[in-house]
Amino acid sequence: MTLEKNLEEEQKVQKEIFDAINNFKSFCLNAGAGSGKTYALIESIKYVLLNKQVELHKNNQKIICVTYTNVAVNEIKERLGNTEFVLVSTIHEMLWEQIKVYQNSELINLHKKELSDELKNIQKKIEEYKTDKNLSIIFGNNFESFLLSTKGIKKLFFQNKNVKACEFRKLFNNYQSDYAYLQQALKNVNNFKELVKLFYRKESHIKALQRINKPQERKKIKIQYDNNFNSDRLPLMMISHDTLLKYSYSLFELYPMFRRIIIDKYPYFFIDEYQDTNKNVIKLVEILHRYAADKKKKWLVGYFGDDKQNIYNDGVGSDIFTIHRDLKKINKQFNRRATNQLIELINKIRDDDIIQKPINPECINGEIKFFYSKDLDNDNQINKIQRFISQFEASIPDNQTIHCLVPVNRLLASLCDFKAVYDSIWDSEIMFWDVFNSQFLSKQHDKLHPAVFFYYRLVMLYKRLKSDRTTYYDILGETNNNVTLKDAKKTIKSLVDSINEVTNLDQMLKGLSSVISQKNIGSSNSAIKYCLNHSLSITYSDIKNYDTFYEYIKDTIYTNMFGDENENSLIKEKNNNMIQEILNVNLTEWLNWVSFINEERDDNTKVIYHTYHGTKGEEYDNVAIIMEHDFGGTGNGKNKFKNYFSHIQCSKEEQEQKLQDENYKKQLENTQNLIYVACSRAKKNLQILYLDDITEIKDGLEMLFGEINEFN
């Protein structure tokens, strides 16, 4: 086949999509890496615009295109050009735009139910404390009423809730003459603290529900979605990403009106990277499809993606056809990205009904090299990787870059010079190993752990305050007329001066706290309020129970990291020490971590390190992949790659027998997808270094990569 013939064949696939669009037949395009999925999506949108724009304009309708990240949104917008007939956004932004206008009834009713359900959970936890012999006395003496009605005690509690037990007991000395039972209740200070927090949480939820139940108050309420915050703040009427999906699904399921609005307004609904889309979103779209069919409406959804590139835990992957039935399946076989050698490799890895061919048969100048190391000294891994990269560099032109994929996060942190940040977060044990990659190293901020994202925002505030290129908007966001240029300039200068000599986050927070005091934060200085809200998503009401901003931040960090679970004094002390260790890490390492998250690099960078997941959707001329038996080292990552290569060298009968175990099958598919995504990033040159003993899996490695050589 020639390039011209292949281009003709490729156009037949695009025509199949166009025919589906013409007939309002919902479809799923499944296309391998480098096949031009985004091109197919853009061409589909352009086709609708070319043939249906007049009709769209007449009916006040638009095409909607949702994708996985803001980076992808910007790419699609850039490739489409300016048009008023296409809405391109992430799924969260799109759903929020659709539901946020229904504040006074449907949305608030859902929020009311969520508050009520959470209140029941809180009450259930409170009831559990009745079994504590020291705290049971509280329930017979109307302690909750004392707690909520005594002036100043709430502030006293939150300012001192992390002090040692002996100091905490002294705070209640003045109350024990009137409330004698406090002496017994305070015998277990940690349980007492946890119960008090539950009472205050209960109070905040009850007050929120009371506001909703009062007609005049209800009119003032607005549910807010904060895409910079990764957890709910229900009493403040603020929801996070997952709750937004939950509310949206409920609204579409409960109210036909929502289905009708979307279908009438957006007759063409395109979803990019479908394999990474949350199952609840697919369920929601399936509801729309079913409703449109029942009402004989002209409406379609077109999914674009590749189920073999599903590497995220919450992505639908190949389950899409189980959840959303009656979709026309369209496969795309051509690869526009890679040389023939690389295409042969990734065909072996994916091993399904998509067998890719190079769009240009003459594209044959690729190279694949596989090395293994007999030297199993783990302490020497960094040096080994650097020598491997140097050898790779010597084989390519000086002006080219190598993109190196690293399977172990600790290795990547060392290579990128933020190992102290990594170690301090890892030691805190706030996340499990299997989500550490996404919750600590993700380029998508909404994937980061709430505590990690809070550290990110602190470092970004430091970075902006120290940069000469920072604008007032970068620090303050959009302000009203009550902030003058003089106020803004004075405030930012004070903040900059407070962090001039700091070397870690702890010093930075103390410096900021010296400026953000009770006196300064009042109505006379709105600029600081805007700074707190825009840069850190903090409002004054959040900190008013604390004497200093520093105390509030430490408490916020503790809650984000360890929650409100019942803990003894030793654990509390250990956790506070961990936080201090994190805050004491040098800011240079924090800035290196932020640069990794933000993908900031200069033109002279020769080697760029990535996690496997972080390269999703990317393509590079030169790719280095570091492999070893494990992927993460524990749990499902233990022997992850070793098990895969061991499996593929088994007989077909052995493979089929092992695949009867659903968990084994799921883990194997995930590993296959991970290796597929990693290897398919390369356009020309791919080199792999395996840092473990390959004796038991040599046949499996040779089946995929051909000749393998010892790295010397």
Side-chain angles (χ1 to χ4, degrees):
M1 297 288 283
T2 63
L3 173 61
E4 291 74 17
K5 287 286 186 183
N6 286 343
L7 290 171
E8 287 178 16
E9 288 296 314
E10 186 185 48
Q11 280 304 308
K12 290 179 181 178
V13 177
Q14 194 66 48
K15 185 179 182 304
E16 198 174 351
I17 296 173
F18 293 162
D19 289 342
I21 291 171
N22 289 335
N23 296 316
F24 282 95
K25 175 61 180 173
S26 292
F27 64 89
C28 179
L29 174 71
N30 194 30
S35 62
K37 290 185 296 296
T38 305
Y39 170 83
L41 171 63
I42 298 297
E43 289 300 299
S44 300
I45 295 173
K46 287 180 177 178
Y47 180 81
V48 177
L49 289 174
L50 180 65
N51 294 280
K52 302 293 182 179
Q53 186 164 310
V54 173
E55 191 174 325
L56 290 172
H57 179 70
K58 178 182 175 182
N59 297 324
N60 193 26
Q61 294 174 317
K62 289 185 179 182
I63 304 163
I64 194 164
C65 175
V66 295
T67 189
Y68 197 62
T69 65
N70 285 315
V71 173
V73 167
N74 293 332
E75 181 188 350
I76 290 170
K77 284 181 176 178
E78 188 176 326
R79 290 171 70 167
L80 268 180
N82 291 328
T83 172
E84 61 181 304
F85 295 102
V86 185
L87 171 63
V88 186
S89 77
T90 64
I91 189 66
H92 291 91
E93 289 171 350
M94 185 278 290
L95 289 173
W96 181 239
E97 284 300 314
Q98 304 309 314
I99 72 172
K100 69 179 182 180
V101 294
Y102 299 95
Q103 294 281 354
N104 293 329
S105 53
E106 294 86 359
L107 188 55
I108 289 185
N109 287 339
L110 282 178
H111 197 70
K112 178 181 176 180
K113 183 180 183 303
E114 193 75 8
L115 279 164
S116 298
D117 290 345
E118 183 59 24
L119 184 59
K120 289 175 185 175
N121 292 333
I122 293 169
Q123 187 59 45
K124 184 179 178 182
K125 290 179 181 178
I126 289 173
E127 293 295 318
E128 291 171 3
Y129 283 95
K130 288 184 177 179
T131 60
D132 186 312
K133 63 180 181 180
N134 293 315
L135 294 180
S136 59
I137 192 171
I138 279 177
F139 296 94
N141 284 277
N142 207 16
F143 173 74
E144 187 175 356
S145 176
F146 154 73
L147 193 67
L148 302 181
S149 61
T150 305
K151 187 176 180 181
I153 198 168
K154 185 174 184 178
K155 181 177 180 180
L156 181 73
F157 173 79
F158 280 105
Q159 285 177 350
N160 297 279
K161 72 184 183 74
N162 291 323
V163 302
K164 292 182 178 179
C166 56
E167 296 174 20
F168 187 84
R169 288 190 186 98
K170 292 177 184 177
L171 300 173
F172 289 87
N173 284 344
N174 295 335
Y175 300 102
Q176 289 189 24
S177 57
D178 295 325
Y179 305 94
Y181 62 85
L182 282 174
Q183 185 174 2
Q184 180 179 335
L186 282 163
K187 287 183 178 179
N188 187 330
V189 168
N190 285 298
N191 278 0
F192 179 85
K193 288 179 182 179
E194 297 307 319
L195 180 57
V196 170
K197 280 194 286 185
L198 285 170
F199 280 135
Y200 282 132
R201 284 184 64 198
K202 176 182 173 181
E203 178 200 31
S204 66
H205 281 65
I206 289 174
K207 284 184 175 180
L209 285 167
Q210 288 172 343
R211 283 189 65 202
I212 290 175
N213 289 330
K214 291 179 181 177
Q216 292 305 314
E217 284 294 310
R218 183 180 174 117
K219 290 178 182 178
K220 302 174 187 176
I221 293 173
K222 279 196 173 182
I223 310 301
Q224 299 178 66
Y225 161 62
D226 186 351
N227 63 358
N228 289 319
F229 213 83
N230 298 22
S231 57
D232 293 326
R233 290 177 282 178
L234 298 178
L236 296 176
M237 310 299 170
M238 300 191 74
I239 60 173
S240 63
H241 314 293
D242 290 343
T243 305
L244 171 60
L245 293 182
K246 180 179 178 180
Y247 283 10
S248 300
Y249 179 74
S250 295
L251 287 170
F252 280 83
E253 185 180 40
L254 292 171
Y255 302 105
M257 170 188 66
F258 283 92
R259 297 172 232 163
R260 189 178 70 247
I261 288 170
I262 292 292
I263 285 167
D264 288 345
K265 194 172 182 180
Y266 304 108
Y268 304 94
F269 199 119
F270 297 120
I271 296 181
D272 188 26
E273 302 290 359
Y274 74 78
Q275 74 279 350
D276 297 325
T277 305
N278 188 284
K279 290 183 179 181
N280 279 337
V281 176
I282 305 299
K283 290 177 183 178
L284 186 153
V285 175
E286 194 272 338
I287 288 174
L288 292 174
H289 187 186
R290 196 163 8 102
Y291 179 84
D294 291 343
K295 300 297 181 183
K296 303 287 192 292
K297 294 277 189 177
K298 289 185 175 181
W299 184 88
L300 74 81
V301 57
Y303 294 103
F304 294 78
D306 178 10
D307 55 35
K308 289 297 182 185
Q309 294 190 61
N310 172 33
I311 56 175
Y312 299 114
N313 292 331
D314 59 349
V316 69
S318 57
D319 287 343
I320 186 171
F321 298 107
T322 304
I323 297 171
H324 194 160
R325 301 177 187 277
D326 195 29
L327 293 172
K328 179 180 176 62
K329 297 180 183 179
I330 303 174
N331 288 343
K332 193 173 185 184
Q333 308 284 79
F334 288 105
N335 188 309
R336 288 175 156 267
R337 172 190 296 166
T339 62
N340 195 39
Q341 293 88 341
L342 286 158
I343 293 170
E344 288 178 3
L345 169 63
I346 61 178
N347 280 339
K348 290 180 192 175
I349 297 170
R350 71 176 297 145
D351 190 27
D352 65 356
D353 58 345
I354 292 184
I355 302 172
Q356 288 191 312
K357 297 178 283 188
I359 194 75
N360 184 357
E362 296 179 8
C363 192
I364 56 174
N365 296 320
E367 186 174 58
I368 301 169
K369 291 184 178 180
F370 189 100
F371 299 93
Y372 65 94
S373 174
K374 283 187 176 179
D375 176 14
L376 302 180
D377 179 9
N378 288 333
D379 295 333
N380 197 32
Q381 281 188 332
I382 297 294
N383 180 261
K384 201 180 303 179
I385 291 169
Q386 290 173 336
R387 285 189 289 115
F388 168 67
I389 294 295
S390 295
Q391 177 180 290
F392 194 170
E393 275 188 273
S395 68
I396 61 173
D398 291 339
N399 62 345
Q400 291 188 11
T401 302
I402 293 172
H403 290 261
C404 181
L405 282 59
V406 184
V408 181
N409 295 328
R410 181 173 276 108
L411 274 179
L412 182 136
S414 296
L415 291 164
C416 296
D417 296 323
F418 55 82
K419 188 173 182 295
V421 175
Y422 173 90
D423 287 342
S424 64
I425 297 292
W426 177 263
D427 291 343
S428 70
E429 299 180 343
I430 61 173
M431 60 191 90
F432 296 113
W433 72 270
D434 57 338
V435 295
F436 199 87
N437 176 68
S438 61
Q439 293 192 359
F440 177 67
L441 296 171
S442 175
K443 313 297 175 57
Q444 301 170 49
H445 297 163
D446 61 341
K447 296 280 184 184
L448 294 173
H449 186 282
V452 171
F453 186 51
F454 194 76
Y455 287 122
Y456 171 85
R457 299 191 81 171
L458 286 173
V459 180
M460 284 301 298
L461 177 58
Y462 172 85
K463 190 172 182 175
R464 286 168 180 154
L465 288 171
K466 298 292 284 185
S467 172
D468 294 334
R469 298 181 179 180
T470 299
T471 66
Y472 289 148
Y473 179 83
D474 292 334
I475 304 294
L476 306 178
E478 192 171 330
T479 61
N480 293 329
N481 295 331
N482 56 345
V483 178
T484 65
L485 184 61
K486 181 180 178 182
D487 287 339
K489 186 175 181 179
K490 182 180 177 182
T491 297
I492 292 175
K493 184 180 185 306
S494 298
L495 295 173
V496 171
D497 290 345
S498 74
I499 62 166
N500 262 340
E501 304 296 327
V502 305
T503 59
N504 59 42
L505 285 177
D506 191 67
Q507 294 172 2
M508 172 194 166
L509 291 174
K510 287 176 178 174
L512 293 177
S513 189
S514 67
V515 178
I516 305 171
S517 62
Q518 290 284 352
K519 181 178 67 176
N520 286 337
I521 212 167
S523 57
S524 62
N525 196 338
S526 295
I528 283 189
K529 290 183 178 181
Y530 279 107
C531 172
L532 289 174
N533 186 262
H534 178 71
S535 299
L536 300 175
S537 278
I538 293 171
T539 62
Y540 174 55
S541 62
D542 292 333
I543 67 172
K544 66 182 179 182
N545 291 318
Y546 297 81
D547 277 342
T548 67
F549 175 72
Y550 180 77
E551 288 176 356
Y552 165 75
I553 291 292
K554 289 286 289 284
D555 192 45
T556 299
I557 289 171
Y558 192 101
T559 302
N560 280 338
M561 289 181 69
F562 305 110
D564 294 324
E565 295 301 317
N566 186 22
E567 297 165 345
N568 61 43
S569 57
L570 290 176
I571 293 176
K572 287 270 189 182
E573 185 176 359
K574 176 188 172 187
N575 290 344
N576 279 311
N577 288 338
M578 284 179 179
I579 291 173
Q580 198 57 52
E581 288 292 321
I582 292 170
L583 294 177
N584 287 342
V585 172
N586 194 284
L587 269 164
T588 301
E589 291 221 12
W590 279 109
L591 291 168
N592 289 339
W593 172 71
V594 164
S595 293
F596 174 83
I597 298 295
N598 293 346
E599 298 186 274
E600 299 166 348
R601 54 186 71 102
D602 59 47
D603 295 336
N604 297 320
T605 304
K606 290 289 292 179
V607 183
I608 300 169
Y609 294 98
H610 306 271
T611 65
Y612 279 47
H613 290 75
T615 60
K616 187 78 164 43
E618 300 294 324
E619 57 181 61
Y620 315 111
D621 282 342
N622 308 298
V623 172
I625 299 176
I626 310 302
M627 280 189 185
E628 54 185 20
H629 289 341
D630 301 340
F631 186 75
T634 57
N636 290 332
K638 189 71 176 174
N639 285 326
K640 188 174 181 68
F641 291 134
K642 182 182 181 182
N643 290 341
Y644 174 76
F645 292 117
S646 175
H647 176 87
I648 64 172
Q649 68 186 16
C650 291
S651 66
K652 289 294 182 183
E653 291 76 15
E654 288 178 284
Q655 290 182 13
E656 288 174 7
Q657 185 177 359
K658 289 181 177 182
L659 291 173
Q660 297 301 311
D661 182 334
E662 281 300 319
N663 186 56
Y664 177 88
K665 181 180 178 181
K666 183 179 178 182
Q667 290 303 320
L668 192 77
E669 287 177 351
N670 180 264
T671 309
Q672 178 190 36
N673 293 355
L674 199 60
I675 295 172
Y676 176 77
V677 167
C679 292
S680 62
R681 299 310 95 196
K683 295 166 64 178
K684 295 181 180 177
N685 301 308
L686 172 66
Q687 293 197 17
I688 299 166
L689 175 63
Y690 204 99
L691 296 173
D692 264 317
D693 182 4
I694 65 165
T695 304
E696 296 178 31
I697 56 172
K698 186 177 180 182
D699 290 345
L701 290 169
E702 288 179 336
M703 285 173 66
L704 286 186
F705 300 104
E707 182 182 356
I708 58 177
N709 299 285
E710 182 181 354
F711 175 65
N712 191 332

